[in-house]
Amino acid sequence: MRIKKCVLALGLTISTLGMTFGLNGSAFAQAKAEGVVRRIDLDNNKISIRHGEIKALDMPPMTMVFVAKKPELLKSLSPGDEVVFEAFDTNGQYSIGNIQKK
């Protein structure tokens, strides 16, 4: 019985670390954010967004470039659009998941 408890505790610890650091040991963070589209580079799947503070990523307001995880989402956007998006930081590589006009 004691061994089963230890194995269960170890499994829970590993799964918690997997969500925070990724299964391959990479650091990972995710946050919802709002901003204004500045530029779109469809050829390279990149979008430049002026956003407010993103506390979960410890990021002050700024304009920065994100890589789109789903490039097809960029096609419906234009510079000047106000958007709500998911921002991801994976080992210092910033990307966006879902993005929608406000």
Side-chain angles (χ1 to χ4, degrees), residues 28-67:
F28 175 82
Q30 174 183 358
K32 292 274 187 188
E34 295 184 5
V36 177
V37 175
R38 305 301 283 164
R39 292 183 185 181
I40 299 171
D41 179 354
L42 293 174
D43 293 333
N44 294 302
N45 303 327
K46 294 182 179 181
I47 183 169
S48 177
I49 301 175
R50 186 182 72 218
H51 62 78
E53 180 179 19
I54 306 175
K55 291 182 181 183
L57 300 181
D58 194 28
M59 189 179 294
M62 66 176 79
T63 299
M64 66 179 294
V65 175
F66 294 89
V67 175

